[in-house]
Amino acid sequence: MSQASEFEPLFVEEIPRNFEPGKLYISIEYTTVAHLCACGCGNEVVTPLHPARWTLTYDGERVSLWPSVGSWNLPCRSHYVIKRNKVQWARPWSDETSCVNPPRG
Ligand SMILES: [Zn+2]
C-alpha cells in the first residue's frame, strides 16, 4: 500500500463494493463521492455531496473536493484536500480544529 498523491475521477452510477487505490468514485445518482484513504491505510472514505457537506468541482478533466477530507475516525487521522485531482496534505486534524473544539484528553 502506498500513499496516493493524485486521484483519478471515475463517474459511476453506483459506488462499487471494492475500491481501487487512487480512484475517486463519483456517483451523481447518489450524490456521493468515495475513495480509499490517500495515506494508503486501505480504509474507505465516503463523502456525501451536499451544500452543507462536501462540494465537488469538475473542470472537464480534474476534480476538486471541498472542504478537506478529515479521517478523524480512522487510526491514521489523515487530513487532506483533493484539489484538481492532487492530494494536498493538510495539518493534522487535531491542530486544525483546536480553535473550535477543545483538545481531547
Ligand atoms: Zn488513512
Side-chain angles (χ1 to χ4, degrees):
M1 290 202 257
S2 61
Q3 196 170 291
S5 58
E6 197 170 345
F7 279 97
E8 182 194 336
L10 281 181
F11 287 91
V12 293
E13 224 167 90
E14 277 184 61
I15 303 294
R17 204 168 294 183
N18 296 304
F19 299 179
E20 278 181 55
K23 300 270 200 284
L24 193 74
Y25 298 97
I26 301 154
S27 171
I28 302 298
E29 181 98 15
Y30 293 93
T31 52
T32 295
V33 175
H35 65 282
L36 287 179
C37 179
C39 86
C41 66
N43 283 294
E44 296 173 359
V45 179
V46 177
T47 47
L49 295 178
H50 185 274
R53 303 293 295 278
W54 279 275
T55 310
L56 185 85
T57 312
Y58 178 54
D59 69 3
E61 279 184 21
R62 296 162 302 183
V63 293
S64 303
L65 192 63
W66 187 260
S68 61
V69 177
S71 299
W72 58 93
N73 55 346
L74 298 180
C76 65
R77 297 173 67 83
S78 288
H79 185 203
Y80 50 88
V81 177
I82 299 173
K83 195 170 184 187
R84 297 196 185 103
N85 286 6
K86 302 268 190 214
V87 177
Q88 297 183 337
W89 292 90
R91 284 174 295 158
W93 190 254
S94 52
D95 292 353
E96 185 80 7
T97 52
S98 57
C99 52
V100 280
N101 296 319
R104 276 174 238 194

